[in-house]
């Protein structure tokens, strides 16, 4: 069978999903009169809103009698767990790079994994139609990057294509545009090797899973050796070394955007298996007579943890469907089945769990997904995970890259160094200044907001985990205290107006708040309890000067990630399907004073 298995890797926003769209169109998978949206593969509501790929997807196209299995991978390092497992299905990678930005830190992260697996790269320099692009410099930068991550001679001898995925063309020379993307498809057939298949009994590794209400859990993976057929008895090799016998009920291969049922699948193809029970990602489906397990997928360790607990605020249960600790526990355990980089630890309290992930974005996507499904929960301050190495405390360190206008580069350097960041590289990049820092993961929490404020939103920030290094010392936390509501009830414009000199507010007049809720940021370092429910006393007497118009500054609006980064040790973020609120863990003022020692 003529098959090519190819993974597409790129940094966030370099046009990866748009390129897959064009490949799908060029293979004419749609009827002439069929309506469809852009970003066909980003079908998850959150992916469309944020413009990022979160979950890897499989799709196949047929070109010149060859089936090309395309695997769309996430570009964000927080979803590295997705990338590490799906690259095992591929024989080559399409590395997509922006013609202006060039290779970014997260491109390096995924590329390193691909090079280590020995995959053959094809370089696509995208967006050459943009003004001030620099394709030749970017080509050199990618060559240097490949060399630095340990590519062998065969991998360094890569083919480069230039083009614009948005306009739908690819060419070997960026100054000579073509009319379509067939040069790219021809290159894939010529350069990417067909799957290596060994002789012998069945071996297939499960690299991802799907769920259907009718069929139950479905195992997806690549057949490395032998063949698998419907009705065949197979052995499932588990992580603990045990082997279970099972029967294949149905087989599906990827055809276009859908899956087609088939009777058998040969080595080299990617397929979905129905009928297996109690399997996990990384398990091997093998021959019953002679079961041989493939090496398990190695996933990088989590670097951050957060406390998840049930919602116990006064507004609990108002708009969520799933509010009990049993609901929360079952949902988190279900997530660990397919989200390999996530871990859940039970605590001595029934309603509290510690969840470990790869970063704030990784955890916030989980919380946002749960919220949309109708869950109510509260989360504590994100904490990085320290390690003891040779008796010394070590912490996770990341590379932070900031592209920023030259006149505000100084402010960014100042903010990063306050948080123990070391400036490693500073060079011009077009009309921007390119800065690279080595910074503790702790220092990144809350830094994005400060940098965007200091640069009037013009900074482009990315970061990736590089390893553990000795503890860098204390990092200053938020310097301002919180404004806390004293009572429960709707806030009045009169009260907020009178308290505006005390700080910035996170609520609008008329919004219902409860005692202990954080409703603003104090101008000083201490917390302040305020009464925002007071209404103006009405009298019969009217005087021209005393009824001045109320002018209230607009409230500060927080996204979920910003709220997670903003809270302190003694605060929670309350997340429900319709609201994100911040609150003190102890709502009663007297109890907070008693418990101060616990958080100091």
């Amino acid at each position: 069978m003529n098959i090519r298995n190819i993974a597409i890797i790129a940094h966030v926003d370099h046009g990866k999903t748009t390129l897959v769209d064009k490949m799908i169109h060029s293979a004419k998978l749609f009827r002439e009169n069929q309506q469809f949206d852009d970003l066909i593969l980003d079908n998850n509501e959150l992916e469309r809103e944020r413009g990022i790929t979160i979950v890897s997807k499989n799709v196949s196209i047929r070109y010149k009698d060859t089936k090309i299995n395309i695997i769309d991978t996430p570009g964000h390092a927080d979803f590295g767990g997705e990338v590490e497992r799906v690259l095992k299905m591929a024989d080559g990678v399409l590395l997509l790079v922006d013609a202006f930005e060039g290779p970014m830190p997260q491109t390096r992260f995924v590329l390193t994994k691909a090079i280590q697996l020995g995959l053959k790269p094809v370089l696509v320099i995208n967006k050459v139609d943009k003004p001030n692009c620099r394709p030749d410099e970017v080509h050199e930068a990618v060559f240097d990057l490949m060399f630095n991550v340990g590519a062998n001679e065969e991998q360094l001898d890569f083919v480069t294509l230039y083009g614009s995925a948005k306009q739908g063309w690819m060419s070997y020379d960026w100054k000579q545009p073509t009319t379509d993307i067939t040069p790219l498809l021809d290159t894939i057939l010529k350069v990417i090797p067909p799957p290596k298949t060994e002789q012998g009994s069945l071996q297939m590794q499960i690299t991802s899973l799907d769920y259907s209400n009718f069929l139950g859990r479905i195992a997806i993976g690549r057949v490395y050796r032998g063949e698998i057929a419907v009705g065949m008895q197979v052995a499932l090799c588990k992580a603990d070394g045990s082997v279970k016998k099972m029967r294949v009920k149905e087989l599906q291969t990827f055809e276009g955007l859908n899956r087609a049922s088939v009777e058998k699948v040969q080595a080299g193809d990617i397929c979905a298996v129905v009928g297996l029970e109690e399997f996990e990602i990384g398990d091997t489906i093998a021959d019953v007579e002679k079961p041989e397990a493939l090496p398990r997928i190695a996933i990088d360790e989590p670097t951050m943890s957060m406390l998840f607990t049930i919602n116990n605020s006064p507004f609990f249960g108002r708009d969520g469907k799933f509010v009990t600790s049993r609901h929360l526990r079952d949902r988190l355990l279900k997530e660990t089945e397919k989200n390999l980089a996530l871990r859940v630890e039970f605590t001595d309290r029934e309603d509290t769990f510690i969840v470990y992930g790869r970063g704030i974005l990784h955890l916030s996507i989980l919380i946002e997904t749960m919220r949309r499904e109708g869950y109510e929960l509260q989360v504590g301050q994100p904490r990085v995970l320290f390690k003891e190495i040779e008796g010394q405390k070590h912490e996770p360190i990341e590379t932070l890259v900031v592209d920023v206008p030259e006149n505000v580069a100084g402010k960014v350097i100042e903010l990063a160094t306050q948080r123990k960041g070391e400036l490693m590289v500073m060079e011009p990049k077009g009309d921007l200044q390119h800065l690279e820092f080595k910074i503790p993961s702790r220092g990144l929490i809350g830094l994005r907001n400060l940098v965007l404020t200091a640069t009037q939103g013009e900074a482009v920030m990315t970061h990736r985990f590089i390893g553990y290094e000795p503890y860098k010392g204390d990092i200053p936390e938020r310097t301002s205290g919180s404004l806390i509501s004293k009572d429960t009830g709707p806030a009045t414009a009169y009260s907020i107006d009178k308290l505006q000199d005390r700080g910035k507010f996170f609520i609008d007049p008329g919004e219902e708040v409860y005692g202990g809720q954080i409703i603003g940021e104090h101008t000083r370092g201490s917390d302040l309890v305020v009464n925002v429910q007071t209404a103006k006393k009405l009298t019969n007497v009217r005087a021209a000067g005393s009824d001045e118009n109320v002018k209230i500054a607009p409230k500060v609006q927080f996204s979920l990630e910003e709220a997670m980064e903003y809270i302190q040790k003694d605060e929670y973020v309350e997340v429900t399907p319709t609201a994100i609120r911040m609150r003190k863990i102890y709502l009663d003022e007297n109890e907070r004073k008693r418990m101060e020692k616990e958080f100091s």
Side-chain angles (χ1 to χ4, degrees):
M1 259 182 92
N2 273 343
I3 296 179
R4 300 288 186 275
N5 296 321
I6 186 158
I8 298 195
I9 57 178
H11 184 79
V12 181
D13 215 21
H14 280 197
K16 175 168 35 66
T17 307
T18 309
L19 180 66
V20 177
D21 282 3
K22 290 296 184 279
M23 291 169 88
I24 290 169
H25 293 317
S26 68
K28 306 224 173 354
L29 293 186
F30 294 106
R31 297 189 311 275
E32 291 296 322
N33 61 349
Q34 194 170 342
Q35 294 292 314
F36 46 81
D37 293 326
D38 286 344
L39 306 180
I40 299 157
L41 286 191
D42 280 355
N43 48 15
N44 166 330
E45 193 183 325
L46 262 177
E47 293 182 317
R48 284 182 167 274
E49 279 177 24
R50 290 165 180 253
I52 58 172
T53 302
I54 296 168
V55 183
S56 64
K57 327 244 183 353
N58 296 59
V59 59
S60 81
I61 60 173
R62 291 201 177 264
Y63 179 69
K64 291 188 177 173
D65 300 330
T66 302
K67 179 181 180 184
I68 303 174
N69 283 316
I70 304 168
I71 307 158
D72 185 18
T73 63
H76 212 287
D78 275 24
F79 307 111
E82 282 283 319
V83 175
E84 285 157 73
R85 57 172 212 231
V86 296
L87 285 178
K88 294 282 277 249
M89 296 196 271
D91 296 297
V93 291
L94 217 57
L95 173 64
L96 195 67
V97 180
D98 184 297
F100 170 68
E101 291 187 344
M104 301 287 274
Q106 286 155 9
T107 321
R108 183 192 182 106
F109 169 81
V110 188
L111 184 65
T112 308
K113 304 279 177 202
I115 295 293
Q116 285 167 354
L117 288 167
L119 303 180
K120 177 80 180 163
V122 170
L123 174 63
V124 177
I125 295 180
N126 192 22
K127 304 190 184 182
V128 295
D129 53 322
K130 278 171 70 174
N132 71 15
C133 65
R134 39 191 202 109
D136 298 329
E137 287 173 47
V138 167
H139 180 266
E140 280 178 34
V142 173
F143 184 87
D144 293 345
L145 174 62
M146 292 245 197
F147 183 78
N148 290 339
V149 299
N152 58 31
E153 281 187 22
E154 193 191 347
Q155 288 169 323
L156 285 172
D157 186 21
F158 55 84
V159 176
T160 305
L161 288 109
Y162 302 89
S164 163
K166 196 173 180 184
Q167 294 179 357
W169 64 268
M170 287 288 148
S171 163
Y172 294 107
D173 181 356
W174 64 278
K175 291 171 185 157
Q176 295 175 343
T178 56
T179 52
D180 55 21
I181 64 162
T182 47
L184 173 62
L185 299 173
D186 290 330
T187 304
I188 291 172
L189 299 197
K190 195 168 80 184
V191 174
I192 304 295
K196 291 191 191 110
T197 53
E198 298 171 32
Q199 296 302 312
S201 58
L202 168 67
Q203 268 190 327
M204 170 182 166
Q205 189 157 42
I206 300 171
T207 46
S208 55
L209 41 102
D210 197 3
Y211 182 81
S212 151
N213 291 334
F214 306 107
L215 303 171
R217 292 173 76 214
I218 301 169
I220 298 171
R222 172 176 160 176
V223 183
Y224 286 92
R225 206 168 74 182
E227 64 177 35
I228 186 167
V230 175
M232 181 176 174
Q233 202 174 22
V234 293
L236 185 70
C237 307
K238 308 273 295 169
D240 55 7
S242 63
V243 176
K244 292 184 176 177
K245 290 185 180 176
M246 296 183 186
R247 194 172 292 280
V248 177
K249 287 183 186 162
E250 193 183 329
L251 280 177
Q252 300 170 339
T253 55
F254 292 90
E255 290 295 335
L257 296 167
N258 304 313
R259 293 205 282 249
S261 291
V262 290
E263 286 303 307
K264 66 177 182 183
V265 176
Q266 305 278 358
D269 206 352
I270 295 168
C271 69
V273 184
V274 179
L276 307 183
E277 290 168 12
E278 296 175 16
F279 62 84
E280 292 170 359
I281 290 173
D283 291 353
T284 304
I285 300 170
D287 184 60
V288 170
E289 305 297 324
K290 198 173 69 173
E292 295 175 50
L294 287 158
R296 289 193 78 79
I297 301 166
I299 295 290
D300 286 355
E301 293 291 304
T303 57
M304 200 163 272
S305 74
M306 276 183 89
L307 187 93
F308 278 54
T309 182
I310 58 165
N311 186 9
N312 61 1
S313 82
F315 293 170
F316 133 88
R318 283 190 178 187
D319 45 26
K321 280 191 295 192
F322 308 111
V323 295
T324 65
S325 57
R326 182 177 59 81
H327 285 139
L328 188 58
R329 186 179 68 237
D330 292 351
R331 178 66 181 81
L332 289 173
L333 290 177
K334 187 178 154 200
E335 186 68 25
T336 56
E337 286 180 358
K338 62 178 191 293
N339 197 333
L340 280 198
L342 197 81
R343 309 242 170 97
V344 176
E345 187 183 291
F346 297 105
T347 63
D348 49 6
R349 284 174 52 192
E350 280 291 301
D351 59 358
T352 305
F353 311 91
I354 294 173
V355 179
Y356 297 91
R358 290 284 274 269
I360 286 201
L361 186 65
H362 185 207
L363 292 165
S364 77
I365 291 290
L366 166 65
I367 297 166
E368 184 67 45
T369 308
M370 288 171 66
R371 170 187 172 199
R372 291 176 186 216
E373 289 168 5
Y375 286 83
E376 280 194 14
L377 65 148
Q378 294 183 143
V379 293
Q381 188 185 33
R383 303 203 175 161
V384 300
L385 303 180
F386 298 109
K387 268 187 186 174
E388 186 104 350
I389 303 174
E390 295 174 1
Q392 199 181 358
K393 185 176 174 183
H394 281 59
E395 66 175 328
I397 301 289
E398 309 207 17
T399 298
L400 168 68
V401 175
V402 189
D403 289 334
V404 67
E406 202 172 331
N407 58 335
V408 284
K411 291 179 185 172
V412 176
I413 295 169
E414 186 184 340
L415 286 168
T417 46
Q418 277 171 2
R419 289 165 171 256
K420 306 288 185 220
E422 288 175 51
L423 183 63
M424 311 301 280
V425 176
M426 182 174 180
E427 58 192 20
K429 180 176 171 184
D431 54 354
L432 298 175
Q433 201 71 21
H434 176 79
L435 310 172
E436 285 184 30
F437 300 91
K438 221 161 90 176
I439 188 167
S441 295
R442 290 178 299 142
L444 288 171
I445 297 176
L447 181 64
R448 180 178 296 276
N449 272 355
L450 296 172
V451 167
L452 289 177
T453 307
T455 61
Q456 279 129 28
E458 290 195 49
V460 178
M461 281 176 71
T462 46
H463 55 89
R464 75 180 173 91
F465 172 69
I466 45 174
Y468 276 81
E469 286 188 13
Y471 183 69
K472 304 283 186 203
D474 291 338
I475 289 176
E477 293 203 338
R478 194 178 89 205
T479 50
S480 51
S482 302
L483 293 177
I484 305 160
S485 175
K486 184 179 179 189
D487 294 319
T488 302
T492 63
Y494 175 75
S495 307
I496 294 177
D497 180 44
K498 293 284 178 266
L499 291 165
Q500 280 193 104
D501 58 341
R502 294 306 182 107
K504 294 183 283 195
F505 278 88
F506 308 155
I507 56 166
D508 277 330
E511 210 170 301
E512 255 203 272
V513 297
Y514 54 79
Q517 183 180 330
I518 296 167
I519 54 171
E521 182 180 288
H522 193 195
T523 46
R524 299 189 179 174
S526 58
D527 289 347
L528 180 68
V529 179
V530 294
N531 184 344
V532 286
Q533 281 82 15
T534 315
K536 185 178 181 192
K537 296 283 180 286
L538 297 178
T539 66
N540 286 342
V541 182
R542 282 284 170 270
S546 63
D547 287 337
E548 72 275 14
N549 289 333
V550 172
K551 290 193 182 76
I552 295 176
K555 71 171 181 181
V556 180
Q557 191 87 34
F558 280 89
S559 69
L560 179 58
E561 281 108 76
E562 287 165 351
M564 285 160 62
E565 291 187 338
Y566 183 80
I567 55 169
Q568 299 291 313
K569 293 190 185 88
D570 62 339
E571 296 167 354
Y572 278 158
V573 178
E574 177 193 349
V575 183
T576 76
T578 58
I580 295 170
R581 303 182 189 95
M582 291 178 283
R583 54 161 284 186
K584 288 289 180 184
I585 293 178
Y586 297 106
L587 297 177
D588 182 65
E589 193 179 349
N590 297 323
E591 199 176 353
R592 274 202 300 278
K593 284 181 179 151
R594 275 207 307 279
M595 294 296 181
E596 260 173 14
K597 290 192 185 78
E598 189 185 326
F599 300 109
S600 55

